[in-house]
Amino acid sequence: MDITKIPQIKHTDSNNFFLLAGPCAIEGEEMAMRIAEKVVAITDKLNIPYVFKGSFKKANRSRIDSFTGIGDEKALKILKKVSETFEVPTITDIHEISDASLAAEYVDVLQIPAFLVRQTDLVVAAAETGKVVNLKKGQFMSPESMKHAVAKVTDSGNEQVWITERGTMFGYQDMVVDFRGIPTMQQYAPVVLDVTHSLQQPNQSSGVTGGRPALIGTMARAGIAAGVDGLFMETHFDTANAKSDGANMLDLSLLEKLLRDLTAIRKTINSL
């Protein structure tokens, strides 16, 4: 998968990692534009290829009263506006077969959530749009098993596929990342490390997922050192009041320093 084929992506000649970043969910136009403006400014400064991330709806919530979105087409139109305003590609999750063709009208990359990555009809529907497909590795899957998910995309005539590592369940309420899986999965497709969801603490008795955001820097630095192709992280300017996954998101004010450090590590790795 050549990221230069993604419309509007910049800095592809920098030999840097690429970044998928933004809020967990699109809560409104003002917040999306504010986050995108900040991240675009940072990534332009550091020559990081960037894709704006935002879920147009959140179907995989623990509680029925959890925030799921502001309306499908409303949120997708905001993603389109982000792309057109800042000249960056965008990525969003899909959860149902019908979501694939709908979201493909507005975004450049379709993401299959980890819980759904074995759903053949969903993966094939995403592949058949011709968009890049980002497969989140299931929390219950081995790195080796992801070759079959990748094959569902490529056998559908779409070579544009990534795998995102997002941790493996460790007990009921914790996640761990086995960095041995990164080179294994790179045999099948470019690999992204999701540094925020890998630090989730799901299945809390409250029905609201917890997290360990203080370890985001540690996780990200380890990923770059291990040779990942890209990083995924969710960020917000007000994590305490974010409507989805605030407990494990990176505060937007901390992003530039972290990306500077990661870019320096990447340059060192490239020189070895």
Side-chain angles (χ1 to χ4, degrees), residues 1-9 12-13:
M1 168 62 207
D2 182 356
I3 63 168
T4 62
K5 295 180 180 179
I6 302 176
Q8 297 184 299
I9 199 159
T12 54
D13 59 350

Side-chain angles (χ1 to χ4, degrees), residues 195-196 199 210-218 239 246-251 254:
V195 299
T196 49
L199 293 166
R212 303 184 69 187
L215 293 175
I216 289 172
T218 300
T239 58
N248 58 272
M249 278 200 276
L250 179 71
D251 191 288
L254 303 175

Side-chain angles (χ1 to χ4, degrees), residues 57-92:
K57 68 177 176 182
K58 301 299 296 184
N60 50 342
R61 303 292 88 182
S62 295
R63 288 170 34 172
I64 196 168
D65 60 347
S66 295
F67 174 79
T68 58
I70 59 173
D72 293 358
E73 292 210 43
K74 183 177 180 180
L76 287 166
K77 286 178 180 177
I78 291 170
L79 284 164
K80 185 73 169 179
K81 183 171 182 178
V82 166
S83 180
E84 293 173 345
T85 302
F86 299 106
E87 298 183 330
V88 294
T90 55
I91 177 173
T92 198

Side-chain angles (χ1 to χ4, degrees), residues 83-113:
S83 180
E84 293 173 345
T85 302
F86 299 106
E87 298 183 330
V88 294
T90 55
I91 177 173
T92 198
D93 309 75
I94 62 171
H95 300 85
E96 302 176 32
I97 295 170
S98 60
D99 289 345
S101 57
L102 173 64
E105 296 180 24
Y106 297 91
V107 303
D108 304 286
V109 185
L110 300 178
Q111 181 165 281
I112 307 299

Side-chain angles (χ1 to χ4, degrees), residues 203-264:
N203 302 318
Q204 302 294 316
S205 60
S206 65
V208 178
T209 296
R212 303 184 69 187
L215 293 175
I216 289 172
T218 300
M219 184 69 71
R221 287 189 289 270
I224 295 300
V228 296
D229 301 285
L231 291 177
F232 176 111
M233 60 181 75
E234 292 183 337
T235 184
H236 199 291
F237 51 80
D238 185 8
T239 58
N241 293 301
K243 294 184 178 180
S244 180
D245 278 6
N248 58 272
M249 278 200 276
L250 179 71
D251 191 288
L252 190 59
S253 65
L254 303 175
L255 182 64
E256 182 167 358
K257 171 62 167 61
L258 176 58
L259 291 180
R260 282 188 181 279
D261 291 348
L262 298 174
T263 297

Side-chain angles (χ1 to χ4, degrees), residues 24 30 37 50 70 73 122 144 161 181 187 209 217 232 254 272:
C24 179
E30 189 277 334
E37 182 177 29
Y50 174 52
I70 59 173
E73 292 210 43
L122 179 64
E144 291 80 5
V161 57
Q187 298 175 69
T209 296
F232 176 111
L254 303 175
L272 297 177

